[in-house]
Amino acid sequence: MDSDFSKKCISRGDLPLQINWTKNGVDLGNQNKNILSVDNMTFNDTGLYGCTATNWAGQARTTFWIDVTGKAYD
């Protein structure tokens, strides 16, 4: 079983797009990366994640919940 996770942010929009990821409202510091990757997830990775894409036309945001409930075994 794989304990890695990846999620793509918004994939369309007039360039340049600025991408920002958050976890529980805290900036993850990985601006302008369209894919969020969490390797070797643990219980500490549980939380509400968000992606905001901004360009000249405005802003779009999406959120999702990750709930880590157990340990993955190979």
Side-chain angles (χ1 to χ4, degrees):
M1 183 178 257
D2 195 1
S3 63
D4 297 338
F5 175 85
S6 66
K7 178 75 172 171
K8 186 175 184 179
C9 191
I10 297 155
S11 61
R12 296 182 298 181
D14 290 344
L15 298 177
L17 278 174
Q18 294 192 332
I19 307 293
N20 186 51
W21 289 93
T22 58
K23 176 186 172 195
N24 298 326
V26 177
D27 188 348
L28 292 176
N30 58 348
Q31 284 87 358
N32 294 321
K33 293 185 179 176
N34 197 32
I35 296 178
L36 172 71
S37 294
V38 182
D39 298 329
N40 301 313
M41 295 184 80
T42 68
F43 293 116
N44 292 331
D45 293 311
T46 296
L48 180 65
Y49 289 78
C51 173
T52 304
T54 306
N55 68 6
W56 66 271
Q59 191 176 82
R61 178 170 172 76
T62 188
T63 59
F64 57 95
W65 182 263
I66 293 178
D67 191 9
V68 180
T69 58
K71 181 172 172 44
Y73 295 95
D74 291 330

